[in-house]
Amino acid sequence: MTDRPGNEALADAYLQHLRVERNLSPRTVTAYASDLAGLCDWAAREQVHLLEADHRVLRRYLAELDRARYSKRTIARRLAAVRGLYRYLVRRGMLSASPAAILSTPKVPKRLPAVAAVSLIDSLLALPDRSSASGLRDAAILELLYASGIRVSELTGLSLGDIDLASATVRVMGKGARERIVPIHALAVDRVREYLRSGRPVLDKGAADGALFLNRLGTRLSSGGVRRMLDRYLGELEHAVQMTPHDLRHSFATHLLEGGADLRTVQELLGHVALSTTQIYTHVSTR
């Protein structure tokens, strides 16, 4: 009997492939790791080796998720991770065909993105106290998120050299290491300029390593820090509102379409590979 890698080793090799060769974000790789850990735990209980599993065995795994009352969305996501793993194993020559290829994905009801009213956005953008360094930073972040539609991970990944105030553009490294240049509104340019002039020097404690947005320790602000900052300002509004930084991206795209922008332009600004991903905003705009 020849030695073969265990299930966890197969999953780890695939995750390393996603990290190094596919250059996926740490957040995405962590999500894949969680989904594949569930598969490996099930396989260990059932005494199944993934290299020997056929589509019937994998269907049993999906059936167990269904009996455990996982949502269709979660099951579909886990199946996507399983499919990705088996495609990788086929490409590496460890299998001749993927047993997951013929499995059908559960029908998931489409959720339209949450979009904030323009009046709510206006109220939110007016909240930061620009007499303090952190307030200047927060004002710049909120304006930049709404004025560019960039993802929160793209915003926190910005360095000083990525923003060009003279041309009112920002260079963003998106998903899959795809770079794009995004134009930004004049008011966002003004807020970032104020922050660079009077806010960032106060926050900088010599450990910033060129990061554009800094936390109170003087290091690069994290995505979690942006979410907590947004939650704090939302709590100051007169009416309780739930919103994420990604909702600002949704609002940016929908408001652009409502203002007459064409779909291809919005696709390019958002960094979507497929136009079909952007088309969901036409449904939101119609609503």
Side-chain angles (χ1 to χ4, degrees), residues 93-105:
M94 304 180 78
L95 289 172
S96 59
S98 167
I102 65 172
L103 297 177
S104 57
T105 302

Side-chain angles (χ1 to χ4, degrees), residues 133-146:
S134 60
L136 286 170
R137 178 203 63 196
D138 296 348
I141 287 174
L142 292 175
E143 286 285 357
L144 191 54
L145 283 173
Y146 180 59

Side-chain angles (χ1 to χ4, degrees), residues 12 29 37 65 82 110 125 152 160 165 170 183 204 215 241 253 287:
D12 287 345
V29 175
L65 295 178
V82 172
K110 284 191 175 179
L125 296 180
V152 66
L160 290 170
L165 297 180
V170 60
D204 189 2
N215 59 26
V241 175
R287 180 187 65 181

Side-chain angles (χ1 to χ4, degrees), residues 57 92 122 131 136 154 204 247 271:
V57 171
R92 289 295 184 269
D122 287 342
S131 66
L136 286 170
E154 294 169 344
D204 189 2
D247 292 335

